[in-house]
Amino acid sequence: MGSAVKPALDVPRIDKGLDDIYVKETSICYVDGQRGRLLYRGFDIQDLAQHSTFEETIFILIHGRLPTRQEFAHARSILAEARAITPDVVRLLRCMPSDAPPIDVLRTAVSYISNFDSERDDPTRAANMRKAQRLIAKVPTIIAAHHRIRNGKRIVPPDPSLGGAEDFLRMVTGRKPDPLSARIMDVALILHADHSMNASAFAAIVSASTLADLYSAIVAAIATLKGPLHGGANEAALRTMLAIAKPEAAEQYVLDTLRNRGRIFGFGHRVYRTYDPRALILREYARQLSELRGQEDLFRISEIMQETTVRELKAKQIYPNVDFYSGLVYHLLGLPMDLFTPVFAVSRVSGWTAHVIEYWDDNRLVRPLDYYVGPTDAAYVPLEERP
Ligand code: SDX
């Protein structure tokens, strides 16, 4: 083999995970990792979680301001009317393998529905806003319809008179949720709507930067969200809690895992160096729901896990992130584990589309470098001369 490239004296700085690299300016979302604050267009998620709805949060992320009452009513009805999926999509869902992971079904279905959108390749901002609304509206219906089909149940069509969160739970479970469950789902969707340049948002930006269409960018984002280091952590975190099974086993599980250099899913974050503010909000809902559902032990397990992990990893500033509690909340709301990451996508489609539309306002092809250290003069030997 030829000689490898001798590293030049000026070896470039390689940021493998792009830690601390800024790829664009944004006014969509601010994550204050030191103080544990999260703002959407300047509005603190504490205020939005207390006073807003997912539909209003979508408007804020995409339009950059609070809607007037008339605008809110109009935006809400546009989303409600766009929830329905066509018989073609239902046919696609019916022919998916029965054990297909719902997040993969969603990735497939979003790619599929792009073929029926006459505006798919229309690059104008107005068309992209309309496509964003259609995507945000249809994703929950796709997930719910597939869940009913794979369980051999009749599909529950959307009810546009209900709010999105409430209707999603109704389409999944077949019955209208109680007001508390509907509100908790609404807040969970608010909390997951955006989080600046996370891996899936960046995947959407990379795809969009080539001027591919919005659907293609969202397919890239869904595919990226799936991983257990990102959106898949909520399912992994709950699996851990269920595997621990008893509160008295929780501390030892964490200690053993850390001693074996393992990861506690639902903890740590590339940006937060303190508690993820979303986790703190969801933790209270998890407490409330666990008492209402008679599953206090499960919440006690989560409490011991977080006390132990925070104590043991204090030096590394590892704290619970949104995924540690979102899985527990969704479980207590009656959702199956493999729907947790799709629910993350139900919400995050709003953030992904907001970032793509913002990036297209000042587009630049994303094309980084990699530093070559391989051979530069390998001699080619014709096949017949090789052993
Ligand atoms: C989300 O980016 C976003 O904003 C994402 C998100 C969003 O809303 O979009 O917030 C949603 O994805 C939240 C993160 C969900 N993922 C998990 O919970 C998976 C478990 N967490 C980790 O794998 C980790 O914390 C990451 C991937 C989230 C972040 O890791 P980094 O920034 O790459 O840090 P690292 O892996 O280099 O870890 C630094 C140190 C290491 O120890 P040393 O090698 O230095 O001794 O911290 C340790 C790690 O071992 N560490 C953990 C840990 N997370 C980090 N140790 C045990 N358990 C963990 N969870």
Side-chain angles (χ1 to χ4, degrees), residues 256-269:
D256 293 345
T257 303
L258 297 181
R259 188 180 311 113
N260 298 323
R261 302 284 298 158
R263 295 261 160 147
I264 313 289
F265 285 95
F267 286 85
H269 199 277

Side-chain angles (χ1 to χ4, degrees), residues 17 19 31 38 191-201 225 227-234 236-237 257-258 261-273 276 278 309 313 316-319 321-324 344 348 352:
D19 303 45
V31 180
L38 175 57
L191 296 177
H192 284 83
D194 194 54
H195 210 247
S196 73
M197 207 33 47
N198 56 85
S200 51
L225 183 73
L229 292 187
H230 187 16
N234 50 23
T257 303
L258 297 181
R261 302 284 298 158
R263 295 261 160 147
I264 313 289
F265 285 95
F267 286 85
H269 199 277
R270 178 63 58 79
V271 179
Y272 287 119
R273 293 293 167 262
D276 180 333
R278 303 167 295 176
T309 306
L313 296 180
K316 296 178 184 177
Q317 297 180 303
I318 303 292
Y319 293 88
N321 60 54
V322 66
D323 289 277
F324 186 60
F344 197 140
R348 191 54 60 88
W352 292 331

